[in-house]
């Protein structure tokens, strides 16, 4: 069994927001969850009335966690999904990324 160093969610979110800031992509924390081990939802808002949601999931074939698209659609639909997720998981972080092209930079080394 390989040992994997875990970083706090608070640290990861700060690094991710800084990475987006450097790239000139606006992003902000909508909901702050558990600073040590909260799950993170990334909402990609393309500023045209539509959004996509990404969440980490374990990929057995790749033997690692990856960001997966869980939902996409009209902002009002995504609002409802996010609200229900927050009611079920009080430790959940919600990060909103605003980019007309839908860039999230989640595929960047260290953030994937």
């Amino acid at each position: 069994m390989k040992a994997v160093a875990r970083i706090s969610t608070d640290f990861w979110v700060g690094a991710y927001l800084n990475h987006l800031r450097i790239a000139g992509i606006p992003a902000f924390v909508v909901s702050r969850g558990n600073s040590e081990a909260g799950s993170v939802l990334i909402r990609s808002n393309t500023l045209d009335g539509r959004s996509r949601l990404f969440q980490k999931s374990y990929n057995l074939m790749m033997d690692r966690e990856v960001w997966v698209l869980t939902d996409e659609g009209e902002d009002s639909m995504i609002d409802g999904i996010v609200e229900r997720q927050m009611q079920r998981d009080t430790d959940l972080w919600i990060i909103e990324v605003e980019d007309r092209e839908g860039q999230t930079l989640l595929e960047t080394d260290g953030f994937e």
Side-chain angles (χ1 to χ4, degrees), residues 83-94:
E83 191 64 36
R84 286 188 297 279
Q85 291 259 8
M86 289 174 61
Q87 289 173 357
R88 283 193 299 266
D89 183 356
T90 58
D91 293 334
L92 185 65
W93 288 73
I94 309 293

Side-chain angles (χ1 to χ4, degrees), residues 7-15 32 34-37 93:
I7 61 171
S8 71
T9 305
D10 189 46
F11 182 85
W12 185 91
V13 167
R32 184 180 179 90
N34 182 288
S35 62
E36 292 300 314
W93 288 73

Side-chain angles (χ1 to χ4, degrees), residues 1-6:
M1 185 169 160
K2 62 183 176 183
V4 176
R6 300 242 345 137

Side-chain angles (χ1 to χ4, degrees), residues 88-106:
R88 283 193 299 266
D89 183 356
T90 58
D91 293 334
L92 185 65
W93 288 73
I94 309 293
I95 309 300
E96 182 151 343
V97 180
E98 295 181 340
D99 182 73
R100 292 189 190 283
E101 297 174 20
Q103 298 179 91
T104 61
L105 305 183
L106 291 171

Side-chain angles (χ1 to χ4, degrees), residues 49-60:
R50 298 185 60 78
S51 294
R52 297 179 299 152
L53 284 179
F54 296 89
Q55 190 169 17
K56 274 219 167 168
S57 179
Y58 191 78
N59 182 311
L60 291 172

